[in-house]
Amino acid sequence: MPCEVSFSVPRDVPGTWKKFIASPLEDLLPGTADLPAVDHTESLNDRPFGQVGSARQVWLADGNHAFEEIVESRPAEYLKYQVWGWSHPLAKPLEYATGEFWFTAHEQTTAVRWQYSFMLSPRSQLGRLGGLGRWLFRKAFIQRQWAAYMQAGAGAMAAWLATP
């Protein structure tokens, strides 16, 4: 059940990657009326963010949290991470989510594509419904609340990454 947004940054790919990896997540995910902003993160190990195996706890402005781990990283090209263990009530039917970023040179800019996909827990009511549960989750959450959250995040990322 993927959701995807794209944006452009007026700098080269290495510069965009470097700033992206070093950016506090709270500067990139401002939240929406339905979903809270990121408040802060806490590292769960000694690996720097962006390296495979780096993990952190992500705290939201409403006090809820989730865990995030980098599962694949090709510097200045691709980043893949998984998110799980949400305390937010809207995430109860989820087993995990996978986020991916692609960074591509386009003339004097960097095209960034961000995709998110969700895996329903087979133990959840929606997960037990199979295809119908996935359709309901996509219509009720992904195409409305999550799509708006990603659009807000893409706007914030584009503005933040464009600054010197």
Side-chain angles (χ1 to χ4, degrees), residues 82-136:
Q82 285 197 328
V83 182
W84 73 96
W86 296 272
S87 63
H88 197 282
L90 287 174
K92 294 293 183 202
L94 295 175
E95 185 84 15
Y96 65 89
T98 301
E100 297 173 273
F101 283 94
W102 290 266
F103 299 81
T104 308
H106 186 267
E107 297 176 5
Q108 301 298 319
T109 66
T110 299
V112 180
R113 183 167 55 113
W114 179 27
Q115 181 175 293
Y116 228 89
S117 57
F118 298 90
M119 177 61 71
L120 290 173
S121 169
R123 297 176 302 282
S124 72
Q125 185 175 8
L126 284 174
R128 288 192 301 269
L129 292 174
L132 175 60
R134 289 188 299 277
W135 182 84
L136 289 169

Side-chain angles (χ1 to χ4, degrees), residues 8-74:
S8 183
V9 179
R11 67 171 68 218
D12 65 4
V13 172
T16 300
W17 173 269
K18 184 177 177 181
K19 183 154 187 173
F20 177 78
I21 293 299
S23 296
L25 192 56
E26 56 268 24
D27 290 334
L28 305 178
L29 294 175
T32 63
D34 293 323
L35 297 172
V38 169
D39 183 69
H40 69 282
T41 62
E42 296 174 7
S43 181
L44 297 175
N45 58 30
D46 60 355
R47 293 183 183 195
F49 180 75
Q51 288 186 358
V52 172
S54 65
R56 60 189 180 183
Q57 189 167 10
V58 178
W59 288 92
L60 304 175
D62 67 355
N64 282 294
H65 68 273
F67 299 95
E68 176 183 78
E69 181 176 0
I70 303 300
V71 295
E72 188 175 344
S73 181
R74 294 190 304 268

Side-chain angles (χ1 to χ4, degrees), residues 2-3 135 137-148:
C3 187
W135 182 84
F137 187 72
R138 183 173 42 255
K139 289 292 184 188
F141 178 71
I142 295 172
Q143 291 180 350
R144 293 185 180 143
Q145 293 166 316
W146 192 254

